[in-house]
Amino acid sequence: MVYELIAPCHFGLEACTKKEITELGYEIKEVSDGKITFIGDERAICRANIFMRTTERILLKAGEFKAYTWDELFNKVYDIPWENYIPRDGRVWVAKAASIKSKLFSPRDFQTIIQKAIIKRLQKAYDMEGERLPMDGASYALRVSAYKDNITIGIDTSGESLHKRGYRKMTAKAPITETLAAALIMLTPWNKDRILVDPFCGSGTFLIEAAMMAAKIAPGMERNFAATSWKNIIDRQLWYDAYDEARALADSVNIEELKQIVDIQGFDIDPEVLYAARYNAEKAGVRELIHFQERDVKELSHPKKYGFIITNPPYGERLEEKSDMPPIYTALGERYAALDSWSMYLITGYEDAEKYIGRKADKNRKIYNGMMKTYFYSYIGAKPIRQAKRANKESE
């Protein structure tokens, strides 16, 4: 069966998610703010959940329509062939409803009316009119979005958000999500052959995500998903096949050889934070690929050229912390300036970051980290000579 699948992502980072879907071999149907819609079958549901790094979840689109009144919403939801998606004992409910610029806006009413319409449809389909549906089987959580009166209903195949890889058991304060960290790394030209340093590594998310990419470890390889229990839509063997594909890819990498290639380092001044980072890296299976040190940003240095700093420095979110920010960003700017031909990428909510770094960023992208407005500053260093020659040839 061919479905429309939706991959929600961070606003402004749609290109990263689109690239991942294309690399998995699936056709993009639509790119819009904060989500990519693509075409895929049951196998695509399994593979997208296991392999994708930048999306929060994979939704199976059940319906899309215009609705201006609650009665119209009820009738159009009822018209969707829910029996094709939800078995007689399926537990169905609206997990989340969001409305922007639409006449229908109450999340509670969306949840109540949609669930009533679905139950009525299923009661008729399963010859149970007037009876209570068992709802003691697999879960089919719905996510509903209304934008300018256009209603989209998706069935959540993932369950827990895909940013929950399973490795981050210990966290530092204000951690960046795994999906956002992966997307930001993908926005840079970094690859496993280039040096990577995070001087404010916290719980190690940037470094762990980078190391997992280098080791070809699929982010969902060690977890289950809501759809793994959907016997009516996805044959269990398809899940086994997708997990086997992920394990085979990871096994194809010689870790001892990779250790000789990668140079991934994380610094922090807090020993407890570093303990958490090491623990998380161990859980992710990449502890051998990352070197953690208790070290101040003022001590940042490296003898080699063409490295990368990718980091999430302190923001000074609380008013009393604001006075601590100038020396931190000044030190970061000074140490970066002393590195030969390096690039630096940082995400921060600190408005004066460029001022104290001492240099305007080459690029500046606005990104919402949760509800917080942040900026992704790109300081682009020189390319290695070989890469620069190749780029010049391609442009000729």
Side-chain angles (χ1 to χ4, degrees):
M1 186 83 175
V2 175
Y3 302 102
E4 284 187 38
L5 304 173
I6 300 170
C9 57
H10 284 85
F11 284 92
L13 299 177
E14 293 84 2
C16 301
T17 303
K18 179 184 175 183
K19 183 182 178 187
E20 280 201 284
I21 294 166
T22 302
E23 288 177 349
L24 282 175
Y26 301 114
E27 176 192 346
I28 304 294
K29 182 179 179 185
E30 183 184 6
V31 178
S32 53
D33 289 345
K35 69 178 182 181
I36 311 295
T37 303
F38 64 105
I39 307 299
D41 57 9
E42 295 89 346
R43 188 182 300 276
I45 294 172
C46 305
R47 295 181 71 237
N49 273 296
I50 291 171
F51 284 97
M52 288 189 66
R53 301 180 190 277
T54 65
T55 183
E56 292 299 315
R57 60 190 69 250
I58 300 297
L59 305 177
L60 190 167
K61 188 160 88 172
E64 186 173 13
F65 51 81
K66 291 277 187 181
Y68 303 94
T69 68
W70 295 116
D71 285 342
E72 192 175 13
L73 176 69
F74 182 95
N75 293 332
K76 289 191 174 180
V77 172
Y78 180 84
D79 288 340
I80 295 170
W82 290 102
E83 62 275 13
N84 293 346
Y85 305 110
I86 300 165
R88 183 178 177 277
D89 64 348
R91 180 170 170 254
V92 59
W93 80 101
V94 178
K96 185 175 181 181
S99 180
I100 300 171
K101 298 179 181 177
S102 298
K103 290 182 174 62
L104 306 180
F105 59 86
S106 164
R108 185 183 295 274
D109 287 333
F110 267 113
Q111 291 170 323
T112 302
I113 290 166
I114 288 173
Q115 186 157 9
K116 281 182 180 178
I118 294 171
I119 288 172
K120 187 174 180 181
R121 169 86 188 206
L122 293 177
Q123 285 171 327
K124 184 175 182 180
Y126 295 123
D127 198 23
M128 293 182 65
E129 289 177 284
E131 299 180 53
R132 184 184 292 273
L133 292 170
M135 286 205 177
D136 56 2
S139 292
Y140 297 78
L142 306 181
R143 290 185 170 254
V144 181
S145 67
Y147 180 67
K148 293 184 178 178
D149 303 310
N150 192 68
I151 316 295
T152 304
I153 303 177
I155 309 173
D156 184 4
T157 74
S158 303
E160 270 200 312
S161 172
L162 295 182
H163 82 265
K164 296 187 177 180
R165 319 288 206 216
Y167 68 72
R168 200 163 74 180
K169 302 297 184 184
M170 303 183 72
T171 61
K173 62 180 181 179
I176 192 168
T177 67
E178 295 86 331
T179 47
L180 179 55
L184 295 178
I185 293 169
M186 289 179 189
L187 280 182
T188 79
W190 179 83
N191 63 64
K192 69 180 186 298
D193 300 317
R194 306 282 291 274
I195 302 155
L196 173 58
V197 177
D198 182 350
F200 305 96
C201 73
S203 51
T205 309
F206 270 129
L207 305 173
I208 293 169
E209 289 295 317
M212 288 175 70
M213 291 176 193
K216 298 183 180 179
I217 296 173
M221 194 168 70
E222 300 297 334
R223 56 163 283 180
N224 288 316
F225 309 94
T228 53
S229 60
W230 292 2
K231 296 176 185 176
N232 62 317
I233 294 179
I234 305 174
D235 188 285
R236 190 76 181 174
Q237 187 59 46
L238 294 178
W239 285 106
Y240 294 144
D241 291 345
Y243 283 118
D244 286 346
E245 181 188 355
R247 292 188 186 103
L249 184 64
D251 289 344
S252 72
V253 176
N254 185 316
I255 293 297
E256 290 305 314
E257 288 181 5
L258 187 61
K259 282 164 61 178
Q260 304 306 311
I261 297 170
V262 299
D263 185 347
I264 301 176
Q265 301 183 34
F267 309 153
D268 208 285
I269 58 172
D270 187 336
E272 290 186 14
V273 163
L274 287 171
Y275 177 82
R278 291 186 182 104
Y279 179 89
N280 294 338
E282 186 74 39
K283 291 290 291 182
V286 293
R287 178 65 186 87
E288 294 178 284
L289 300 177
I290 306 172
H291 179 58
F292 292 103
Q293 295 181 61
E294 185 179 337
R295 196 170 175 186
D296 194 284
V297 66
K298 294 174 185 176
E299 301 171 54
L300 172 60
S301 64
H302 201 288
K304 294 184 179 178
K305 300 173 70 169
Y306 309 118
F308 283 76
I309 296 169
I310 304 178
T311 190
N312 176 31
Y315 298 176
E317 292 136 283
R318 292 194 294 271
L319 191 62
E320 62 270 22
E321 296 174 332
K322 291 290 183 186
S323 61
D324 297 333
M325 294 304 104
I328 290 173
Y329 284 83
T330 298
L332 177 61
E334 288 172 351
R335 297 319 305 152
Y336 171 60
L339 292 165
D340 188 358
S341 304
W342 277 49
S343 298
M344 179 167 71
Y345 297 84
L346 62 145
I347 181 171
T348 178
Y350 184 50
E351 299 277 354
D352 291 329
E354 289 175 300
K355 174 183 173 182
Y356 289 104
I357 286 171
R359 176 182 153 189
K360 189 172 177 60
D362 297 302
K363 291 183 181 177
N364 178 9
R365 186 186 294 249
K366 189 188 297 181
I367 292 170
Y368 280 88
N369 184 8
M371 297 303 292
M372 181 181 290
K373 182 174 71 174
T374 62
Y375 302 91
F376 189 55
Y377 295 106
S378 302
Y379 293 87
I380 302 169
K383 294 178 182 177
I385 294 168
R386 235 179 260 171
Q387 284 191 14
K389 284 181 178 177
R390 192 184 307 127
N392 288 335
K393 280 184 182 179
E394 288 171 357
S395 65
E396 288 174 0

